[in-house]
Amino acid sequence: MQFSYAHKNTKDGERQTRTVPFNKPRISKEIQALRERAFEKEIPVSDDETLNFLCTLLRAVKPENILELGTAVGVSGGVMLEVCKNAHLTTIERDENFFSQARENFNNLGLAERVTQIAGDAGEIINGLGGKFDFIFLDCAKVQYIKYLPRLKELLTEGGVLVADDILLFGYVTGEEEVPQKRKMLVEHIKEYITAVTNDCGLQTTVLDIGNGIALSVKL
């Protein structure tokens, strides 16, 4: 099966931090099997440290209505629903093959009835969404994070949590790694997002050195 996304094996993490050895997710063997198959195909799914953080945070927050931008093959969505037994997930994916594979995976995991899958461009779709979400996982095209932020704030409940993944982008954003020429504009867009969420009076944000970098924002 062919996917339109750039392939990258994330089994050993996208960015090595000193805390990687301590942060291992507690997930079902079925989810782990999905991850292993994704790793083999070099489909970029969340690494151990990111998944472990998500699991820990979700157990504390206990959201009931989750929005995910970037389904991929359903690994992170499946984890979120396994942790939050009473939650419903709305998840958006633009790649048709990913969308189909995720649907099959949600069915096999027995989670399909708790998932609303939407195929298409996340920017267009979120503008048409109704209702509110108490947890949003932003893990789609990084260049669009800053563009999506105003609408995501509208969709987020008061006290709701917005998690933006890959915010340090292989260490390019922190200066750990030299930025390739073709990535410089992307890094600037991510820096715009970080500046926006850390200076927004309507959000309380912390940027975490976990996995490939996470920005955790709570709506005030």
Side-chain angles (χ1 to χ4, degrees):
M1 183 176 291
Q2 298 297 312
F3 302 106
S4 64
Y5 286 21
H7 287 196
K8 180 176 176 62
N9 190 332
T10 55
K11 184 173 184 177
D12 296 322
E14 297 175 273
R15 175 177 163 273
Q16 291 298 304
T17 70
R18 295 180 182 182
T19 53
V20 165
F22 310 115
N23 290 316
K24 303 298 180 184
R26 188 179 299 167
I27 57 179
S28 68
K29 62 182 181 181
E30 290 80 10
I31 291 283
Q32 184 58 32
L34 290 182
R35 292 182 77 214
E36 294 295 338
R37 289 197 290 274
F39 292 147
E40 290 173 3
K41 297 177 182 179
E42 297 190 334
I43 297 170
V45 295
S46 297
D47 60 20
D48 280 358
E49 197 164 40
T50 302
L51 273 188
N52 186 64
F53 173 77
L54 263 184
C55 291
T56 305
L57 179 63
L58 288 163
R59 289 188 189 282
V61 174
K62 297 180 175 62
E64 295 184 355
N65 205 11
I66 301 171
L67 173 63
E68 178 183 46
L69 281 69
T71 316
V73 293
V75 170
S76 53
V79 167
M80 289 191 284
L81 289 175
E82 281 195 342
V83 171
C84 304
K85 302 297 186 184
N86 297 317
H88 184 89
L89 172 70
T90 299
T91 184
I92 303 168
E93 177 56 54
R94 69 181 183 186
D95 184 286
E96 293 181 1
N97 287 321
F98 276 175
F99 180 89
S100 298
Q101 187 64 62
R103 181 168 53 192
E104 180 179 332
N105 290 339
F106 286 134
N107 279 326
N108 291 340
L109 291 168
L111 299 172
E113 292 184 358
R114 297 167 56 204
V115 180
T116 298
Q117 278 189 263
I118 306 175
D121 179 79
E124 296 176 1
I125 291 166
I126 60 175
N127 285 329
L129 285 179
K132 294 279 188 176
F133 299 88
D134 46 5
F135 194 95
I136 299 177
F137 185 43
L138 179 56
D139 190 22
C140 56
K142 317 310 169 191
V143 71
Q144 302 294 347
Y145 281 16
I146 185 64
K147 178 181 176 183
Y148 296 164
L149 180 59
R151 178 56 180 157
L152 295 180
K153 285 172 56 184
E154 292 176 348
L155 290 170
L156 199 60
T157 59
E158 183 177 332
V161 174
L162 168 62
V163 173
D165 197 16
D166 302 314
I167 210 72
L168 300 182
L169 199 65
F170 314 122
Y172 300 152
V173 172
T174 56
E176 298 164 60
E177 300 289 340
E178 184 177 352
V179 183
Q181 185 63 38
K182 66 179 182 179
R183 297 287 190 185
K184 287 187 176 180
M185 186 59 69
L186 173 56
V187 169
E188 290 306 309
H189 283 302
I190 291 177
K191 286 181 176 179
E192 287 178 29
Y193 179 86
I194 293 173
T195 298
V197 293
T198 54
N199 288 278
D200 192 318
C201 294
L203 298 171
Q204 178 69 55
T205 298
T206 185
V207 176
L208 300 165
D209 189 14
I210 291 173
N212 204 20
I214 288 172
L216 169 62
S217 302
V218 178
K219 186 173 178 178
L220 303 177

